[in-house]
Each structure stands twice: as C-alpha cells, then as structure tokens.
Amino acid sequence: MKVVLVQLPVPNNRQSNLPLALGYLKAMAEAADIAGLRVELLDATAQNRGGDAFMVDAILAHDPDLVGFSLYTWNSSRILGLAQALKEKSPGLLILGGGPEVNRDGDFILSSPDFDFLILGEGERTFVELIQTLNKSGKRGVGGGKSGGRGRFERLLEQNIGPGLALRSLAGSPRTMERFSLTDPSALASTSSPWHFGPPRTALQDVNSVPSAYLSGALEGHLGRFMSIELSRWCPSKCTFCYYGRQDLPRGGKRYFDLERVRQELLFGLAHGVEQIHFVEANFNTLPHLAGLYDTIQATGANRQMRFYAELRGEAIDPAQARRLAECNFSTVEVGLQSAVPEVLARVRRKNHLPRLVQGVHNLRTEGIEVYLDVILGLPGETAETFRRTLAFVEKNDLQPYDLFHLQILSGTELKTEAIGGHHGMRWQTAPPYFVLETADLSFESLRALRLETLQHKGDDPGIIQGLPQPGPFALVAEARGAGSGGTENSIAFEVRDNHKPVERLVLDLTSTSRPISLETLSRQLGSEVTVVLRLGEADEASLKRAETILAQLSEPNRSGLWFIFAQVERPLSGPEQARLGRAIRHDEGYLDRLAVFVRPDALADRDWPSVSFFQVLPFSSAMVEQARPETVWQVSLEAEAGVERWQAQLEEAAAATEAGLLLVTPAGENRTVSKCKAVLQSFDPGSKRVWLADWRLAAGRAAADTDDNSDLAASLDFPLTLWWPQGSDELCGRPPMQELERAALSYQLAALDPPVYPRSGLKRQPASTQ
C-alpha cells in the first residue's frame, strides 16, 4: 500500500513550509512496521511551488492508494479543490484530511464530498490504525475505482470506527461543496451530515512515544535553513478563541518532549546547516523544564550558530529570564497582549497581568531582543472605545511595534461554540480565514474603520492586503540573453528548464506571429504563483483576443492560482479592455481573496479577485501623465550620458504620477550603470510604490540589498523559472545560475556610489575636510 502525504505552504511564506506534522505521521507509520506499506511526502518543490495541475500530476505520478492532506486555515480552500481534481482523475483514490481545520464543527471541511476519511485531533495513532485497517483489506482493495470496489470500503462502516476517525458514508448522494464568504454561518449547520464519527481520541499520555520527524529521517528533502522544533503539546491558558492545547491532560500526563530529544534535534539541525529555529510552543517560558532547555541550547553550541524564535508570556520575563534568552540567541520573540481591557479579556477567559507584561517586554528589549506584540480586533465585548484604550495602553507604555490581527472564529474552539449558540452577536466568514465581520458592539463598517484608523496611525499602508504576496523583484527583467535592457548578447547562459520544477513566469510577445504555444501542456507545468508579462504593443483587437484566450486556457486547470498580469503596451488600455484581460483568468474564490474583506469589501461579490493583480506598463512621458491609472507602472528609460541627478529627477517625476510603481530600463554595457543605479535608488524614497529593474543583475543586487538578514539571501535571489515566447524553444525556459545571481548581488554590494549621496537625501556628500 502506498500513501502520499501533502502539506501546502502559507502563500506568502513558501520558503518556510516544513511539514512537521506529516513527518510525525510517516515516522509513526514506519515504526509500526506495517507489511507492504510505503509512506512518502510529496516532493518539496511540488507542494511548495506547484500549481493545481502540476500538483495533481505530481501526486498521481506516485500511483498512491491514499493521499493525506494536512489542513490549516491558509491551505484548506485550495486543498478542497485539489481533492476534487484528484477524484475526477482517479475516482478510486482514497483521500484523508487532518490537522487543526478538522473538527466536528468544521463545516467548511465537512461540506467537501471528496474526503473519504478525516482525522480529528492528535493524529499519529489514528493514522496508523487507519492504515492497518485499510492494509488488511488488501492492496488497492479499498477504493471505489481501482480494483477492490465499493463493497470493502462499505464494510469498514459495519465495524466500530476507531477513536479520532471520521468516515464518509457512501450511501445517498453527497453534498456538493459550497463556497462561502459573507454568508449566514448557520447555512451549513442546518444540513444533515454524511459523516460517521468515531469516539474522541484521548491525548497521548506521553508525547515522547511519537518518533522524531527529524531523527527518523522522515523529513529528508524538506529541510532547508529553517527548522521547527516542538517542545510540548500543552498550554496553561484556556483562551476561548484559541485552538492550541485543547487536548491537555489532567495533572500526571507528560505533554512535553524530553530534553535529550530536543538536544538530539538541535544537533541534527547544526549538522544540516540550519540557521533559524522556531520553537513550536505557545508559552515557551512557562515550560516546566525551561532551565534545562536553556542549558541544552548552550551546551550544544546552537546559540552560537542559530537564531531562535518563540512565543512567550510577557508577564514571566524578569531580567534574569531576558538575559538567558539573549544568551541563547533568541533574536525575535512574540508576546500576546490581545487586549489591555480586563473586561474584554474576561469574555475570552484570558488573563494578563498588565504591569508585569509591560516590564517583561522592556526587559527583553533591554537585552536587544526584538519583540512583536499581538493585538486582536473584534473580541467579544470590544467596543471602539475599549479598542482605543488598548492602543493607548500600548503607546503609553512604549510597547510598539505591534501586529494587528482580526479575530477568527476557528473550528474546535469554545468561542465558535458560543458564537453558533447566538452569544456575542457575531457574524463571520464561514470559509477561511473565518474573520469576524460583526459583533454585538461593532458593525462591519466599525471594524473596517478601526482597522483603517489603526494602520494609518501605525504608518502602515491600509490598502495592503496583509498576507497577500506581491510581485517579486524579477517580475519585469528583460530577456535571458542579456544583462541589460537593450538585449545585447552576454556570455551568461540561462539554465535549461527542469521539468520537475514549475514555471512561474511567462513573457509572451503577442505581437509575433511565430508558431503557436502548447497551452495545454504549459498549463500543467505552471506554479501556484505566476507572473505573466503580455507584450501587446498597440494592443489591437487581435492581440487582446489572443491574450484572453491564453490566460483562460492557462488558468482553467489552475483555479486557485495567484496571478500577476503585466500588460506592456504602447497606449493606455481602457477600463473595459483591462477588465477583459483580468476576468479572462479562471479562478475560484479562495483564502487570499477572503483576506481582503476589510480592504476591498465588494471584491468577491464583483468577482474582482484580489488573487489576480493587473498592471499596465507604459513608456513614461509627461504627455501621458493624465492617463495614468492606479495600476499604471511607468517604464523609465535612463540615458547612458545622463548623470545621477538627471536619473533621480526622472524617477521622481514618474513616481509622482503613479500609485503602482516604476520599471527602470538602464543602459546596457555601461560600466558605471551599477554604481549610478545604486546611488539613485539609495537616495530615492518610493514610499509604497514598487521599483522594478529590467536588468536582471541589477534586480538581483537590489533584491539582496533589501534583505534584512543574510540568511535570507537565497530567498531574495529566488529567480522564477521563466518561459520566453516566441524567442525560441524550451531551452529559453530557465533562470540564471545561482552563482551568477550571487555574483551580481556581491557586485552591487561592493559598487561605490556614483556620485556619493546621503541616503534618501539627494545631496552630494562633501569631503570630510569641509564638514
């Protein structure tokens, strides 16, 4: 029997997708020594970067009997679509879901007709028991369309369903999955459930009975420079809005991992070049073996080679604790305030000792540790006045910076039970991210106004959809053949396409009449995030129609995709023309779209998907300024003979006439281009506007320069696998070799400013003797 396990990433943090939970399942199943069983984690590139069609093909290439998905708020919408596509391609394939999204009140997941099994709660033992039961039915003898047929699957219903397991009935017609955003939360609760639930699974008495996902080798091929280490499955707090620790045992159970196991996992990380450790723990500094954890970190030497991150209880941080955290190289920590109003906290059973929390935050900062404070908008009993009291408390006590979160009504929480029961007067999204849209004390418009007010006061752009990825630094680089925008030949050859990696950028010249492109094949090779550059010239009707057809065919099998469409045109497109291209994308409402509810409340009703971003790239001229639109990107051509001051003046003039951004086209073959460009960009403040560079070397240098941490250099130089068409054949689908990107980044870093300028001032630096 073959099992394939999949965990999709947080959309704006694909680099850090480490499927720890799936590693536990694989390790536990292999330790059970089940005859004929093979458990595989889907290739990291496929699950982190592949588009829908790419993912389906990658999964089915394993010829699995069972596919298991790890479901979280950020990936469950997309997984439901993948499950449907898998069933359409392979009706007999069995599909399993588990993770925090799976609960008896998790109607969004329960509404899908494509899962055969669900695991509720702690999943390792339930997973092994399910595999053992299916394996007894005979290889390929449980599915409806492989060989064994429906009968053996139905007989599983006649047995007692094991603890922690839910099984979909095959009797009757399954419900068709519906998609919800601003609808009545009771819409699903009123329908009958096709699920058969086993008894609840009691929590493990000793979590150390689960083999290490790292030491067992279960996560081989999925480890980069980032690593999550779980310290416990326990939480002393009982906040009603939180899912964490809901399976805590009474006193006597061992819900934290032994120090020796933690030590071995730290040594494993050191041996594999890990640079960042995220401790999976809601209250790191309240663990019963905290002193031993500090000693273990220092004894291994991990604090000298790794940076650590954890969530803390601020009240428990005295100067000695802060000092130990600093000695162990905790560079960043998160502290939950949520609210500074006792009567609001009481409604969610949260206890904060505010004076001690304030002192704890300052103790941490005294030791040079960066602290991020969490504040939640929309808690039960919150009013505009009480929310402003919390923000005033933060500022009065110098607790900035803080992150603003919207309350989510998560399945499996006490708060959801209360809300369904009519308490707190709440209305919320019935699909992820489950944002609260209204409470008894705050209307939707009030919540939206408070968000706007808070972000503006913080200096953040309220128009940014938090969590929605933005186009990357290489979105508009010129052809592979040349470093400069002039298209001159260069000795650097781009790597040939690897068919095992998804294509993430398309540059399509639709003014050409060359051979047609194979859209069906290409659509199955795309990534989950795709940049499309449409070169439309004068954008006549023929090229616009061609662009519509291409976008529709590429997106049809990739309906959860994130799209950045750049139309490079010689004339501004009209509103209807732009709408034609944007709406050519075939898309299903997803998590990223619903994230935008407070920024663009009418987007979903108008099917104006936030997941589909559209830009017009126009050559800049003063005569065109009045025709600029919010999505206009001005292409600014910088002349070789002009000085830095002239380049800067051009940028500032163009930036004043756009909200979206600028594309800088620099001279090719100009020795001073790097130093001049660096000088201009260092003195130019684009605000919220994006600046792209046509020269991929300069783009690499700029991307690396904007990276706060050297350990993130590889991520910053993540050049998307690109297809240029119709310049040639598949050999022109590629990317610069990483060593060339790193060399370009270093050249940019070492380039002297020409002429030297004060950052963001535009003033020439005077000789030291005259200052």
Side-chain angles (χ1 to χ4, degrees):
M1 180 179 184
K2 183 181 287 187
V3 179
V4 173
L5 301 176
V6 184
Q7 175 178 298
L8 302 186
V10 178
N12 65 345
N13 194 15
R14 298 183 300 172
Q15 300 286 343
S16 298
N17 182 33
L18 186 64
L20 180 60
L22 300 185
Y24 285 141
L25 298 184
K26 176 177 169 64
M28 194 79 167
E30 291 177 343
D33 195 24
I34 302 171
L37 174 66
R38 186 173 178 182
V39 179
E40 300 173 345
L41 271 61
L42 188 66
D43 174 75
T45 298
Q47 67 181 3
N48 295 347
R49 311 180 76 100
D52 296 344
F54 190 101
M55 286 274 297
V56 168
D57 292 347
I59 291 170
L60 294 180
H62 288 261
D63 193 25
D65 299 288
L66 173 72
V67 177
F69 289 102
S70 191
L71 293 153
Y72 297 87
T73 54
W74 57 81
N75 66 24
S76 57
S77 293
R78 186 179 175 206
I79 286 172
L80 265 57
L82 287 174
Q84 179 180 352
L86 285 167
K87 285 288 192 180
E88 290 172 354
K89 284 254 183 179
S90 180
L93 180 65
L94 297 178
I95 298 182
L96 167 68
E101 277 279 80
V102 181
N103 291 282
R104 285 176 177 261
D105 62 352
D107 289 321
F108 180 71
I109 302 301
L110 298 179
S111 69
S112 169
D114 299 304
F115 288 105
D116 298 294
F117 309 102
L118 295 172
I119 291 177
L120 292 82
E122 214 165 29
E124 290 90 356
R125 289 171 296 167
T126 308
F127 178 69
V128 170
E129 290 169 6
L130 173 63
I131 296 300
Q132 289 171 331
T133 301
L134 295 178
N135 207 45
K136 288 177 184 177
S137 299
K139 180 174 173 61
R140 300 176 185 256
V142 291
K146 281 199 167 184
S147 63
R150 182 182 175 109
R152 293 184 181 181
F153 186 14
E154 285 183 321
R155 282 198 291 274
L156 197 61
L157 281 173
E158 299 171 4
Q159 307 169 14
N160 292 325
I161 301 175
L165 183 67
L167 186 147
R168 173 177 287 280
S169 170
L170 295 183
S173 57
R175 289 182 291 176
T176 301
M177 194 195 95
E178 302 177 44
R179 294 178 172 84
F180 299 92
S181 54
L182 308 183
T183 56
D184 180 3
S186 65
L188 280 177
S190 62
T191 60
S192 59
S193 173
W195 288 96
H196 298 268
F197 292 94
R201 167 75 72 180
T202 58
L204 285 163
Q205 288 287 331
D206 184 355
V207 293
N208 293 280
S209 62
V210 178
S212 167
Y214 299 109
L215 306 180
S216 67
L219 289 175
E220 184 178 353
H222 291 265
L223 190 68
R225 297 181 179 181
F226 169 85
M227 184 172 169
S228 295
I229 295 180
E230 192 174 27
L231 296 178
S232 81
R233 297 180 182 180
W234 166 83
C235 181
S237 301
K238 301 298 177 187
C239 307
T240 63
F241 56 80
C242 184
Y243 180 85
Y244 195 89
R246 69 184 188 130
Q247 287 187 308
D248 289 348
L249 290 179
R251 291 184 182 274
K254 190 173 182 182
R255 299 292 289 166
Y256 55 91
F257 291 93
D258 289 336
L259 288 175
E260 176 58 23
R261 173 173 171 144
V262 175
R263 187 182 77 85
Q264 291 291 340
E265 291 187 337
L266 287 173
L267 291 173
F268 176 90
L270 287 169
H272 287 79
V274 171
E275 298 175 353
Q276 173 81 43
I277 297 287
H278 181 168
F279 281 129
V280 183
E281 174 56 50
N283 300 276
F284 174 82
N285 55 315
T286 65
L287 288 169
H289 56 337
L290 179 62
L293 283 169
Y294 289 137
D295 293 340
T296 300
I297 291 170
Q298 292 181 293
T300 60
N303 57 313
R304 295 190 295 274
Q305 298 184 49
M306 295 171 166
R307 292 170 292 114
F308 291 87
Y309 166 91
E311 297 179 44
L312 308 176
R313 288 292 295 190
E315 297 92 325
I317 300 296
D318 58 22
Q321 287 282 343
R323 195 172 308 115
R324 291 226 68 181
L325 286 163
E327 290 168 352
C328 290
N329 203 23
F330 279 78
S331 57
T332 305
V333 298
E334 184 176 347
V335 172
L337 172 66
Q338 321 313 359
S339 173
V341 181
E343 55 267 35
V344 173
L345 292 172
R347 296 281 290 271
V348 292
R349 290 174 38 189
R350 171 89 178 186
K351 295 180 180 179
N352 283 347
H353 192 292
L354 296 175
R356 288 210 304 258
L357 185 146
V358 170
Q359 188 57 54
V361 170
H362 289 296
N363 289 337
L364 290 164
R365 289 181 175 155
T366 297
E367 295 294 336
I369 298 172
E370 190 172 14
V371 181
Y372 284 96
L373 202 71
D374 298 340
V375 173
I376 297 179
L377 173 61
L379 290 168
E382 189 86 84
T383 66
E385 185 273 332
T386 60
F387 184 71
R388 292 188 180 108
R389 278 169 57 190
T390 293
L391 300 186
F393 175 88
V394 169
E395 295 195 359
K396 178 182 177 181
N397 292 283
D398 193 22
L399 298 179
Q400 306 96 322
Y402 62 93
D403 288 323
L404 179 65
F405 293 92
H406 289 282
L407 180 65
Q408 297 169 273
I409 304 299
L410 301 175
S411 64
T413 63
E414 186 177 342
L415 181 58
K416 182 168 185 180
T417 300
E418 294 174 356
I420 289 175
H423 300 284
H424 314 307
M426 287 183 165
R427 184 169 62 94
W428 65 94
Q429 294 173 316
T430 57
Y434 308 113
F435 283 156
V436 164
L437 304 173
E438 182 180 335
T439 72
D441 301 285
L442 291 170
S443 66
F444 176 80
E445 287 304 325
S446 297
L447 288 167
R448 190 171 180 229
L450 284 169
R451 173 194 176 275
L452 177 65
E453 173 188 314
T454 303
L455 293 179
Q456 288 178 333
H457 185 71
K458 287 179 61 183
D460 296 341
D461 184 353
I464 295 295
I465 301 169
Q466 296 172 338
L468 181 71
Q470 298 299 307
F474 301 105
L476 292 171
V477 294
E479 276 78 1
R481 294 173 299 161
S485 58
T488 57
E489 287 296 325
N490 191 281
S491 61
I492 301 302
F494 271 36
E495 297 173 328
V496 177
R497 180 174 70 200
D498 181 345
N499 286 325
H500 297 292
K501 295 180 180 179
V503 177
E504 297 179 303
R505 181 169 172 262
L506 306 171
V507 181
L508 307 176
D509 185 354
L510 301 187
T511 64
S512 170
T513 57
S514 299
R515 62 180 179 82
I517 191 169
S518 176
L519 295 176
E520 182 177 356
T521 299
L522 182 57
S523 71
R524 307 204 69 82
Q525 297 173 333
L526 294 182
S528 58
E529 181 178 313
V530 184
T531 297
V532 183
V533 181
L534 299 169
R535 293 182 175 168
L536 297 173
E538 289 295 329
D540 58 22
E541 178 59 25
S543 62
L544 288 173
K545 183 66 177 176
R546 198 176 181 193
E548 281 185 279
T549 300
I550 289 173
L551 293 175
Q553 292 189 36
L554 292 179
S555 59
E556 179 59 42
N558 298 290
R559 299 183 71 93
S560 71
L562 178 67
W563 299 85
F564 304 117
I565 311 298
F566 291 87
Q568 287 191 319
V569 288
E570 298 298 323
R571 65 167 180 86
L573 297 177
S574 67
E577 288 173 329
Q578 178 175 310
R580 284 175 58 185
L581 296 181
R583 297 192 177 186
I585 296 289
R586 304 295 186 255
H587 183 72
D588 292 333
E589 177 190 312
Y591 167 80
L592 291 175
D593 304 302
R594 292 185 288 267
L595 278 179
V597 64
F598 291 104
V599 183
R600 294 164 54 185
D602 299 324
L604 301 188
D606 296 339
R607 300 182 68 81
D608 180 18
W609 308 119
S611 293
V612 181
S613 300
F614 188 90
F615 303 89
Q616 293 190 44
V617 184
L618 285 162
F620 178 72
S621 69
S622 300
M624 300 262 296
V625 165
E626 292 185 357
Q627 300 184 63
R629 298 169 60 94
E631 59 280 353
T632 297
V633 174
W634 290 123
Q635 178 174 312
V636 183
S637 297
L638 303 173
E639 299 174 353
E641 61 272 17
V644 170
E645 292 83 356
R646 173 57 185 155
W647 281 18
Q648 185 170 336
Q650 286 181 268
L651 262 63
E652 291 174 349
E653 182 185 7
T658 183
E659 298 176 29
L662 306 172
L663 168 62
L664 307 188
V665 181
T666 51
E670 168 74 14
N671 292 332
R672 291 175 55 199
T673 293
V674 176
S675 58
K676 288 168 68 177
C677 186
K678 183 176 178 180
V680 168
L681 292 176
Q682 191 160 329
S683 62
F684 172 65
D685 183 3
S688 61
K689 304 174 181 69
R690 296 295 303 272
V691 177
W692 288 280
L693 291 152
D695 184 326
W696 66 264
R697 286 182 174 77
L698 290 176
R702 179 66 172 170
D706 288 342
T707 303
D708 295 330
D709 196 319
N710 285 335
S711 66
D712 294 329
L713 181 62
S716 70
L717 298 179
D718 186 18
F719 194 102
L721 190 63
T722 301
L723 172 71
W724 282 270
W725 179 84
Q727 269 75 6
S729 63
D730 287 350
E731 283 69 31
L732 278 182
C733 182
R735 71 179 104 218
M738 179 55 74
Q739 61 266 30
E740 294 300 331
L741 290 163
E742 291 174 345
R743 185 175 294 132
L746 181 62
S747 297
Y748 188 92
Q749 178 184 348
L750 297 177
L753 299 182
D754 181 18
V757 295
Y758 289 112
R760 303 189 185 282
S761 70
L763 300 175
K764 291 185 180 180
R765 211 183 284 276
Q766 298 298 319
S769 59
T770 66
Q771 293 183 6

